[in-house]
Amino acid sequence: MIDPNHMRVLLRRLAALSVFVVALWVIQAVNWATGYSLNIAFGLVPRHVSGLDGVVGMHVLHGSFGHLMANTPPLLLMGALLATTATRALLAVNAVIVGLGGALIWLLGSSAIHIGASGLVFGWFGFLITRGLVDRSPMTVGVAMLVGLLYGTIIWGVLPGQSGVSWEAHLFGAIAGVAAALVIRTHVHNPRMRDVDGR
């Protein structure tokens, strides 16, 4: 039997994920209408103090509608898997992915304006796969296998060579996701899901 409290928390999380994705599309529409001025204002610019706000801002900005369209399905699927299986550490996991991944791009990335939610996608990918290897519960292993089966080929995105693609965001996002799985031990097991709260 499904715990009603767990179900309420899950529905709130899925609603928050939906609002986030809708917000990305609204931001993209505004960005497009203003000639992508938001990318210049809030994108991550490595080793420039003025580009530090991009550590957070880059994840909600895109270079085109096609760019956002490519990121939307993995955001929804991996975000839903996180919402369903993560415990109260969910905010901490995302903070590590955004903060550490963004900091590494700022320190080591190429001189360009880095934008796109793909850093978040790769972070979630790294987290979900690594958590399955670390936790080894049936649920986390199953999620890791599903993510690997559906999105395993994205790992090639961490290699340089694609023009106009921030492979650094992919690489450092994945590294941050792995780090989050190693440092923040969520240990998702069905009995513990009763203790999930709204944080």
Side-chain angles (χ1 to χ4, degrees):
M1 182 177 174
I2 299 174
D3 187 331
N5 183 54
H6 174 214
M7 183 56 65
R8 283 194 297 271
V9 172
L10 175 58
L11 291 176
R12 284 201 302 268
R13 288 178 170 184
L14 293 176
L17 174 64
S18 300
V19 168
F20 174 66
V21 172
V22 169
L24 292 182
W25 281 91
V26 171
I27 291 168
Q28 169 59 21
V30 172
N31 206 7
W32 171 79
T34 60
Y36 291 96
S37 62
L38 297 181
N39 292 351
I40 297 170
F42 300 108
L44 191 154
V45 182
R47 294 169 298 281
H48 286 262
V49 174
S50 62
L52 267 173
D53 54 359
V55 168
V56 174
M58 68 171 289
H59 300 286
V60 299
L61 301 171
H62 292 83
S64 67
F65 283 100
H67 185 195
L68 177 54
M69 180 64 75
N71 282 332
T72 297
L75 280 173
L76 288 171
L77 176 62
M78 285 191 252
L81 289 172
L82 274 173
T84 304
T85 63
T87 60
R88 290 174 287 185
L90 187 60
L91 288 180
V93 167
N94 283 296
V96 170
I97 291 172
V98 170
L100 177 59
L104 289 172
I105 299 168
W106 190 83
L107 288 170
L108 304 171
S110 59
S111 296
I113 298 175
H114 296 260
I115 54 169
S118 53
L120 192 57
V121 167
F122 275 77
W124 289 351
F125 175 83
F127 175 80
L128 291 169
I129 295 291
T130 306
R131 186 187 60 177
L133 298 174
V134 171
D135 186 49
R136 295 194 298 276
S137 73
M139 181 183 292
T140 57
V141 170
V143 168
M145 290 177 64
L146 176 63
V147 170
L149 179 66
L150 293 176
Y151 291 106
T153 56
I154 70 170
I155 198 66
W156 299 113
V158 304
L159 300 176
Q162 245 185 307
S163 177
V165 174
S166 176
W167 63 271
E168 298 101 320
H170 299 172
L171 174 62
F172 295 136
I175 289 173
V178 170
L182 294 175
V183 173
I184 304 167
R185 306 298 290 273
T186 58
H187 290 300
V188 179
H189 301 285
N190 284 330
R192 293 189 57 186
M193 297 307 283
R194 291 193 297 271
D195 301 322
V196 173
D197 64 21
R199 286 184 288 172

